[in-house]
Amino acid sequence: MSGAGKSTACKLFRQAGFEIIDCDIICREIVEKGKPCLKEISAAFGNEILTDDGSLNRHALGKIIFSDSHKRLKLNGIMYPYVSYSIIKKLVYSNAKYSVLDAPTLFESGMETVCDIIVSVAADKNILIGRIVKRDGISEELAEKRLDSQHDIYFYKERSDFLLMNNGSEKEFFEEVNKTINFIKESK
């Protein structure tokens, strides 16, 4: 869930010795100028999603996919094979005892199948909207559209081994994350 505190949780996991595989970074890498994934995306959505130098115009693509669920699914269908390949490659060549996939679209990409334990981070919708508006400098309406394009909290609750709620103070959230980290380390 956008704005829930996933990055903060990952920072705590990293400090506890977990390797973090950031799928947002992977998504940026696979759509770099000249990469096959970007070529497929521009073929599917047109050159208006490219900048003058041939790089991805994220804002233009975001306008398209956040207002049309079919187009969002089309984009996901193009990107997920590239993302999955990159994740598997990183896991295979990793020497880490513990790895965390920082994956906002873990379930949509089917990558939950490579996970032993699934930890999701969530918060109430009004809190998420406020955080997204502040973080991204967008309107409440656009923040709500972005959230509406994602699964609700019940989706994550049903599919996760741990659902960490981030509605309270930073201290409370840190305690919840650290409790989960300790449980995972003790169980493996």
Side-chain angles (χ1 to χ4, degrees), residues 162-180:
F162 297 92
L163 180 64
L164 307 179
M165 293 301 295
N166 187 10
N167 289 325
S169 71
E170 187 177 81
K171 181 181 181 223
E172 291 170 322
F173 183 59
F174 282 16
E175 288 172 0
E176 193 68 23
V177 174
N178 284 320
K179 191 181 343 174
T180 303

Side-chain angles (χ1 to χ4, degrees), residues 102-168:
D102 180 354
T105 57
L106 179 75
F107 300 105
E108 295 83 352
S109 65
M111 292 307 294
E112 78 276 9
T113 59
V114 303
C115 298
D116 294 327
I117 296 171
I118 296 175
V119 178
S120 295
V121 181
D124 292 339
K125 189 173 183 176
N126 61 330
I127 292 172
L128 295 173
I129 290 171
R131 288 179 185 158
I132 294 168
V133 166
K134 183 178 178 183
R135 180 191 70 198
D136 298 347
I138 60 175
S139 69
E140 285 188 16
E141 181 185 349
L142 192 54
E144 191 162 2
K145 262 189 179 179
R146 194 175 287 180
L147 285 175
D148 289 343
S149 73
Q150 299 175 9
H151 297 293
D152 64 19
I153 195 167
Y154 302 105
F155 176 90
Y156 295 104
K157 186 174 183 176
E158 290 174 358
R159 290 162 178 80
S160 303
D161 298 293
F162 297 92
L163 180 64
L164 307 179
M165 293 301 295
N166 187 10
N167 289 325

Side-chain angles (χ1 to χ4, degrees), residues 65-106:
I65 65 159
F66 287 123
S67 61
D68 186 327
S69 61
H70 294 335
K71 289 181 181 175
R72 189 172 51 257
L73 289 172
K74 185 176 188 176
L75 175 66
N76 292 344
I78 294 168
M79 290 185 66
Y80 287 158
Y82 291 97
V83 173
S84 298
Y85 174 78
S86 294
I87 290 169
I88 297 298
K89 188 175 170 185
K90 287 181 184 294
L91 288 170
V92 166
Y93 291 106
S94 173
N95 293 321
K97 183 173 182 181
Y98 303 104
S99 294
V100 171
L101 295 182
D102 180 354
T105 57
L106 179 75

Side-chain angles (χ1 to χ4, degrees), residues 11-62:
K11 188 164 87 174
L12 294 171
F13 272 93
R14 181 178 283 115
Q15 290 171 356
F18 288 69
E19 171 192 41
I20 306 299
I21 298 174
D22 188 330
C23 294
D24 283 340
I25 291 173
I26 290 172
C27 285
R28 284 192 283 283
E29 291 171 350
I30 65 171
V31 296
E32 288 173 350
K33 182 178 171 182
K35 297 264 180 112
C37 186
L38 181 57
K39 290 178 182 176
E40 284 189 50
I41 293 169
S42 64
F45 293 96
N47 287 336
E48 65 267 12
I49 59 101
L50 298 176
T51 63
D52 291 338
D53 75 350
S55 300
L56 178 63
N57 182 334
R58 294 180 186 288
H59 183 71
L61 182 59

